[in-house]
Amino acid sequence: MLFKVEMTVNIPSSLPKEQVEEVKAKEKAYSQRLQREGKWPHIWRVVGQYANVSIFDVADNQELHEILTALPLYPWMEISVQPLCAHPSSIYTEQTSSK
């Protein structure tokens, strides 16, 4: 199943810089592993914000929930999820999930 996920990160300024850097490093490693596995095929930065728009390609709602709640930055995120399906007017056949 394909999902559009919008994430906005709001790290509290009271968090020690060393802890923030450690969490960000863990987040990067985790997200890149998911990208290599094909579960997070697209990620775009939202200009001027600590936010992204991503496409996830996972088996179901439960798998997406487990992935998102395991994000190291999850405690400081606002997340919006929308399930996706192929558009009938699209000229691309690759829009459907391979899962």
Side-chain angles (χ1 to χ4, degrees):
M1 294 181 71
L2 296 175
F3 294 90
K4 179 184 98 172
V5 179
E6 297 180 29
M7 297 177 244
T8 301
V9 182
N10 297 298
I11 300 173
S13 59
S14 60
L15 214 60
K17 183 178 179 177
E18 299 79 27
Q19 185 178 355
V20 171
E21 294 307 315
E22 181 180 330
V23 171
K24 285 181 178 182
K26 289 179 182 178
E27 180 88 8
K28 183 176 183 176
Y30 179 58
S31 70
Q32 289 181 343
R33 178 174 60 85
L34 291 168
Q35 290 172 63
R36 283 188 213 87
E37 293 173 358
K39 295 179 183 210
W40 196 336
H42 300 282
I43 181 170
W44 295 277
R45 169 75 66 208
V46 177
V47 176
Q49 299 179 32
Y50 194 175
N52 74 72
V53 175
S54 296
I55 302 297
F56 284 83
D57 187 354
V58 294
D60 54 30
N61 296 342
Q62 184 62 40
E63 183 179 16
L64 180 63
H65 178 76
E66 290 167 5
I67 286 171
L68 295 177
T69 57
L71 289 165
L73 287 169
Y74 178 78
W76 306 289
M77 287 184 170
E78 293 176 26
I79 299 174
S80 170
V81 176
Q82 294 178 311
L84 301 173
C85 62
H87 194 285
S89 297
S90 175
I91 63 170
Y92 301 103
T93 59
E94 298 147 5
Q95 288 185 2
T96 56
S97 171
S98 60
K99 306 280 185 263

